[in-house]
Amino acid sequence: MDGSLRADGAPLPRLDRALASDLRIALRSPAILSFALLEVLAAATIAVRRGAGAAGLESVGLLWLGLGALAFLAWWAGRHRRAVRSRDPVGRAGQRVTAAVAGVVGIGLVTWGLAPAVGSAVVVGAVVAWLAAAVLGRGDRDRLVTELLRDPRPFLPLLLLIALPRAIASGPGYGLAALLALPSGLLQQLAFLIGLFAPLEAILGRTDRAAVLAALAFGSLHVPMNMPQAGGDIVLAAANAIVFQASVGAIACLGYVRHRAAVPLGVAHALAIA
């Protein structure tokens, strides 16, 4: 949407200048630099644990290249004239973060098989507590509805990048698979972005720190799911979670910051896992 105007009528800066400016800001963030270093260490761990050496690093590099394309289109969403980049007020943010963290712990208890019954109860309690905080927050219900109904068009290039290659490779069955994956994709991104990231951002007052912490939490939940592929190696499973799932979480945060609409990002998640 280069050369167009924002919704408020202000002209957009040139694409290359805007991207370079945002990259400079990101590279001045200790939180983002620490996350990047952690990614590099995780990639090296994967190469060593798998014994793949340079070939392993090359495969991780190709993965990062694909994720980089997704990250660029997530960033590009902010250039659409319909993009909403201002933060939504988050009432009772502390209570929401507490509930979200409790939910993460509960999910961990379930997925690790440590105490599934207790974990399930904790998750249910966390959801109830989060919703109660949202209901009690002044005007939060109306703001939440507004956010859920925001225009998905800024994320159309991102959705196409994910869906078209999968549809071509999988054929007609991909549409049904995407439809079946939609509830999971929506639920995960609504819980991640609105449930955890937004209130965490409100408390910290720093988008970069909130994004890194939320992305690492998102990645940590996938460690037990990565265990079978890692052959039971917890270190390798954690490294995979950092390189892949935590990166996906960071990209979701980037897209959400550029256009505060979690629903189309949930659709993107569904298209990716279908």
Side-chain angles (χ1 to χ4, degrees), residues 63-75 158 161 251:
L63 172 63
W64 279 339
L65 186 63
L67 292 174
L70 294 177
F72 173 74
L73 290 182
W75 174 86
L158 177 66
L161 178 63
I251 292 171

Side-chain angles (χ1 to χ4, degrees), residues 155-245:
F155 288 120
L156 183 58
L158 177 66
L159 296 173
L160 290 175
L161 178 63
I162 296 172
L164 286 181
R166 300 291 305 276
I168 293 171
S170 303
Y174 177 71
L176 178 59
L179 186 61
L180 294 175
L182 191 58
S184 175
L186 286 173
L187 181 60
Q188 289 189 54
Q189 289 305 317
L190 290 176
F192 176 60
L193 294 171
I194 298 180
L196 175 61
F197 171 69
L200 190 59
E201 181 186 37
I203 286 181
L204 296 177
R206 290 287 300 268
T207 299
D208 54 347
R209 294 176 184 173
V212 168
L213 289 175
L216 291 176
F218 185 75
S220 70
L221 291 176
H222 289 80
V223 174
M225 304 175 195
N226 293 342
M227 288 289 281
Q229 183 182 7
D233 185 339
I234 188 173
V235 174
L236 180 57
N240 283 328
I242 292 171
V243 168
F244 182 57
Q245 285 98 354

Side-chain angles (χ1 to χ4, degrees), residues 15-180:
L15 175 65
D16 58 336
R17 293 177 180 172
L19 181 59
S21 175
D22 284 352
L23 286 174
R24 284 195 296 269
I25 293 172
L27 291 175
R28 289 198 294 266
S29 165
I32 293 177
L33 291 176
S34 298
F35 183 75
L37 176 60
L38 185 60
E39 290 274 336
V40 172
L41 293 175
T45 299
I46 291 173
V48 171
R49 305 291 280 205
R50 287 182 176 168
L57 290 176
E58 182 179 348
S59 65
V60 172
L62 290 174
L63 172 63
W64 279 339
L65 186 63
L67 292 174
L70 294 177
F72 173 74
L73 290 182
W75 174 86
W76 196 11
R79 297 183 65 78
H80 195 285
R81 65 187 183 89
R82 297 285 185 179
V84 176
R85 296 179 58 182
S86 57
R87 297 182 191 176
D88 293 297
V90 179
R92 300 177 181 266
Q95 295 178 25
R96 295 196 200 192
V97 169
T98 301
V101 171
V104 170
V105 172
I107 293 172
L109 291 175
V110 173
T111 55
W112 281 106
L114 299 175
V118 174
S120 298
V122 170
V123 171
V124 171
V127 171
V128 171
W130 194 98
L131 291 174
V135 169
L136 293 173
R138 179 178 297 178
D140 280 9
R141 287 171 294 178
D142 294 337
R143 285 192 291 265
L144 182 58
V145 171
T146 298
E147 179 175 347
L148 293 177
L149 297 178
R150 278 184 181 143
D151 197 328
R153 283 178 289 179
F155 288 120
L156 183 58
L158 177 66
L159 296 173
L160 290 175
L161 178 63
I162 296 172
L164 286 181
R166 300 291 305 276
I168 293 171
S170 303
Y174 177 71
L176 178 59
L179 186 61
L180 294 175

